[in-house]
Amino acid sequence: MKNVAVIGAGTMGNGIAHTFAQSGFKVQLVDINEASLKRGIETISRNLDRMVAKEKITEAEKTETLGNITTYTDITSGVEYASLVVEAATENVDLKLKIFKQLDEACPEDTILATNTSSISITQIASVTSRPEMVIGMHFMNPVPIMKLVEIIRGYNTSDEVTNIIMELSKTLGKTPTEVNDYPGFVANRILMPMINESIETLYNGVAGVQEIDTVMKLGMAHPMGPLQLADFIGLDVCLSILNVMYEGFKNPKYAPCPLLVNMVRAGKLGVKSGEGFYDYSESRKAEKVANQFA
């Protein structure tokens, strides 16, 4: 397995492409938007430059990694020779189902189809293909080149063979694969998102301010970053999507998104990527200044 196609050149997609390419795989990075592909390659190049500066890789290794990546705007061309496809598009059920229908038609019969979804049912995604036994979840963590965990999610029909292949493949990437079952949110987000949502509720109810909530969780619970800062980093729209998936999946009110989160997403306050969320990122990508709304 040396040819891997990655669908989507956004934050997760370019991170996954970077990781495979650095491990010696030939990567076909696919995105319908040429500008997104350009930004994705620029991001990979900058991240590799940081690794060179820290003497984690050489300049030659950076060049080799970039040389392993080819970009495509057409899915059919991009997946023609892929042994594995990893889909990393927006966390939207309808979009993912549409993509997997396309992949099933365009990929060779023995191609494994993986999704980086952080919450959507693998079984549901697999149901639109003719190869449900070859569909699996590979939920990488952000930033992909640094974070060691990969949640491996088996759908109802995912075969033992495919699961074993993906578990071993993850290890060759220097990751720690952890197998979980197919329920909304899996493990990572089933635990993380209610915590983030409760942190937003705590702010919404006036219990404490943004920095105070994050400080309590960082210093009191030994979290590397506070939950509101983390929400900004993930993207408030992504947090909302995941909570909605879990709320719909379990019909349990404890997963209902906080009204403050809903309104912030409606207003386009999405966190780091929009320049403002719970913190103001207009001058720095670090969570140093609380957004005016909460100051």
Side-chain angles (χ1 to χ4, degrees):
M1 185 180 289
K2 278 296 176 185
N3 285 296
V4 177
V6 178
I7 311 299
T11 300
M12 297 304 295
N14 72 60
I16 294 167
H18 172 165
T19 301
F20 274 103
Q22 194 176 331
S23 296
F25 292 85
K26 296 298 181 182
V27 178
Q28 295 81 52
L29 181 58
V30 183
D31 198 299
I32 59 172
N33 189 314
E34 186 72 52
S36 294
L37 286 169
K38 182 180 179 182
R39 286 194 299 271
I41 295 298
E42 288 172 350
T43 298
I44 294 169
S45 184
R46 284 196 304 271
N47 289 337
L48 289 167
D49 283 337
R50 279 193 281 269
M51 296 178 78
V52 171
K54 294 177 181 178
E55 299 184 344
K56 292 185 176 181
I57 63 171
T58 65
E59 191 68 41
E61 288 171 324
K62 173 199 168 182
T63 301
E64 183 180 354
T65 297
L66 289 173
N68 282 335
I69 304 172
T70 308
T71 59
Y72 294 84
T73 54
D74 176 64
I75 283 185
T76 301
S77 301
V79 304
E80 186 176 3
Y81 301 109
S83 301
L84 168 69
V85 177
V86 183
E87 171 273 320
T90 304
E91 194 73 350
N92 176 284
V93 175
D94 293 336
L95 176 61
K96 290 188 186 294
L97 296 183
K98 179 182 177 182
I99 289 172
F100 270 78
K101 284 180 182 177
Q102 288 180 275
L103 293 176
D104 189 46
E105 294 170 0
C107 290
E109 291 182 1
D110 59 350
T111 302
I112 295 173
L113 305 181
T115 173
N116 182 59
T117 181
S118 54
S119 61
I120 297 167
S121 168
I122 307 304
T123 304
Q124 181 181 9
I125 290 172
S127 71
V128 301
T129 76
S130 62
R131 61 183 95 187
E133 74 284 355
M134 301 184 73
V135 178
I136 194 165
M138 286 186 82
H139 179 207
F140 290 86
M141 304 294 127
N142 186 25
V144 180
I146 296 172
M147 300 291 279
K148 293 295 184 184
L149 176 67
V150 183
E151 268 189 314
I152 306 297
I153 308 104
R154 294 182 65 141
Y156 189 81
N157 293 301
T158 307
S159 71
D160 290 341
E161 180 184 8
V162 165
T163 302
N164 291 335
I165 289 171
I166 296 303
M167 292 287 283
E168 291 304 312
L169 176 65
S170 299
K171 292 175 185 176
T172 69
L173 299 175
K175 305 301 185 186
T176 302
T178 303
E179 185 180 338
V180 305
N181 290 320
D182 187 18
Y183 291 97
F186 315 131
V187 171
N189 282 316
R190 184 168 178 171
I191 294 170
L192 174 63
M193 286 301 154
M195 183 193 74
I196 286 177
N197 198 44
E198 193 62 33
S199 302
I200 299 171
E201 285 278 3
T202 302
L203 176 66
Y204 180 58
N205 292 330
V207 178
V210 170
Q211 287 181 317
E212 289 75 14
I213 291 168
D214 278 354
T215 298
V216 167
M217 297 306 290
K218 285 190 289 185
L219 301 185
M221 312 305 165
H223 290 195
M225 67 173 71
L228 299 177
Q229 179 187 357
L230 180 57
D232 276 355
F233 180 70
I234 293 168
L236 301 190
D237 53 336
V238 176
C239 293
L240 179 59
S241 293
I242 295 169
L243 284 164
N244 281 331
V245 166
M246 293 197 294
Y247 183 58
E248 288 299 316
F250 292 114
K251 305 299 183 186
N252 189 323
K254 75 178 180 179
Y255 298 114
C258 175
L260 175 58
L261 174 62
V262 174
N263 280 340
M264 289 180 71
V265 172
R266 286 173 176 166
K269 309 295 186 181
L270 308 181
V272 176
K273 62 185 168 186
S274 71
E276 184 181 341
F278 295 105
Y279 293 88
D280 183 336
Y281 302 96
S282 59
E283 297 177 2
S284 170
R285 288 176 63 87
K286 296 180 180 179
E288 298 172 330
K289 180 183 177 184
V290 173
N292 287 336
Q293 180 182 354
F294 306 111

